[in-house]
Amino acid sequence: MRASWQERFAETSDVLKSAKHQQTVVRVQTVVRVSDIEIGGSEFITMAGPCSVETEHQILSTAHFVREHGARILRGGAFKPRSSPYSFQGHGLAGLKMLAQARAETGLAIVTEVMCEDDVPLVAEYADILQIGSRSMENFTLLEAAAKSGKPILLKRGMMATVEDLLKSAQVIVENGNPNVILCERGIRTFDTTLRNTFDVAAIALLKQISHLPVIADPSHACGHRELVPALARIGVAAGADGLIVEVHPNPEKAWSDGEQSLNFAEFEEMMAMLEPHIALRGAAIGKLLETVG
Ligand code: PEP
Ligand code: MN
């Protein structure tokens, strides 16, 4: 790592690769373990599912489908941070119970958002990974409470947050005794409003160089249009991401949230097949690196 980055990110030393690590080719990496799943390990991990948990049929059919096509983790919001107060806000506890049922039926691990510190114990009872949403990235009391739950944390980059801000929030979680942080690039707001957000793929490459934490790409929120999701997923793999989080819905046109950017089942299947050679290349590169190290 450049000395200038080391200086710039000095306040977040717990989430940075150390100067010593920089001088070796060793793939210094935090591996977050969830049951038999390793995030940040050699396997590329796909998290997939609807934006919101809507009905039992919706979440169960999606869980079975994405598992059959390579996903290891089921996503789905029970507590939804919506831009409009009049939009669906999530089913809360009932949604968490549906996620637990999906886990019981499929063996998939569950990642779901927690929006406020009071809900942390409840969400942690059901989730395998707590998602901190973009809008909450700098809610430090929430970060502390989530960290203390002991559950792995998927920390989404705030839509107006710099890479430095993201690392500071990660540092807060680690400082509160929880080393299991997964960073997520989900697009940021820029002058260009053509798409929902601007996918900051350079941030993925940068984070992989300077931080030992796993990095996940969210191609769905990054662009807001399902047609572009597979291309962005491919770019995420190429940039060095450790996995993906992607929205999938049995009937996106009827989705209660984020239907525009959700893949239907056939599109998800096609995307996973398309990604295979790219994921294999990534695996070969990691293998080579480990071989060099001996
Ligand atoms: C989501 O994952 O559905 C979500 C609300 O994401 P973000 O916090 O990145 O907007
Ligand atoms: Mn969403």
Side-chain angles (χ1 to χ4, degrees), residues 3-200:
S4 58
W5 281 340
Q6 199 95 46
E7 265 167 48
R8 173 157 194 170
F9 300 115
E11 277 189 320
T12 59
S13 58
D14 290 346
V15 301
L16 289 191
K17 292 178 181 172
S18 73
K20 188 173 131 256
H21 295 144
Q22 301 308 315
Q23 286 152 17
T24 72
V25 284
V26 183
R27 188 169 182 266
V28 186
Q29 174 71 52
T30 289
V31 175
V32 175
R33 290 185 172 80
V34 180
S35 57
D36 67 331
I37 304 164
E38 293 189 345
I39 303 152
S42 52
E43 188 187 345
F44 187 83
I45 300 296
T46 299
M47 312 178 181
C51 180
S52 314
V53 179
E54 297 168 7
T55 65
E56 220 171 85
H57 172 73
Q58 174 240 21
I59 194 68
L60 294 176
S61 62
T62 307
H64 284 282
F65 191 86
V66 299
R67 193 190 73 125
E68 273 161 34
H69 295 90
R72 303 293 310 274
I73 298 174
L74 177 67
R75 62 147 291 144
F79 293 93
K80 294 302 302 175
R82 303 304 304 281
S83 303
S84 163
Y86 306 108
S87 301
F88 174 57
Q89 308 290 315
H91 284 307
L93 176 58
L96 295 174
K97 287 186 173 166
M98 289 188 239
L99 287 168
Q101 191 185 341
R103 172 175 48 209
E105 285 190 18
T106 62
L108 290 170
I110 301 296
V111 58
T112 193
E113 177 157 358
V114 59
M115 286 174 57
C116 77
E117 55 192 294
D118 292 347
D119 291 339
V120 167
L122 177 70
V123 180
E125 202 182 312
Y126 289 87
D128 298 293
I129 303 173
L130 297 180
Q131 175 174 325
I132 301 290
S134 193
R135 292 157 193 79
S136 304
M137 190 204 84
E138 288 183 308
N139 180 342
F140 295 108
T141 49
L142 173 62
L143 294 180
E144 274 181 38
K148 287 176 180 159
S149 75
K151 291 280 176 180
I153 311 284
L154 177 70
L155 179 65
K156 298 191 87 172
R157 179 179 180 183
M159 58 188 89
M160 311 280 272
T162 63
V163 167
E164 198 173 342
D165 297 331
L166 174 65
L167 290 175
K168 281 182 184 163
S169 292
Q171 173 83 16
V172 168
I173 299 169
V174 175
E175 250 181 13
N176 278 278
N178 190 336
N180 294 312
V181 184
I182 305 155
L183 303 172
C184 177
E185 162 58 32
R186 48 76 76 204
I188 51 172
R189 284 201 171 155
T190 67
F191 67 88
D192 190 346
T193 54
T194 315
L195 300 174
R196 182 173 180 181
N197 288 297
T198 298
F199 188 29
D200 187 4

Side-chain angles (χ1 to χ4, degrees), residues 201-222:
V201 74
I204 298 176
L206 175 62
L207 288 168
K208 289 305 299 176
Q209 278 204 13
I210 65 177
S211 174
H212 55 77
L213 297 174
V215 179
I216 295 288
D218 176 346
S220 310
H221 293 86

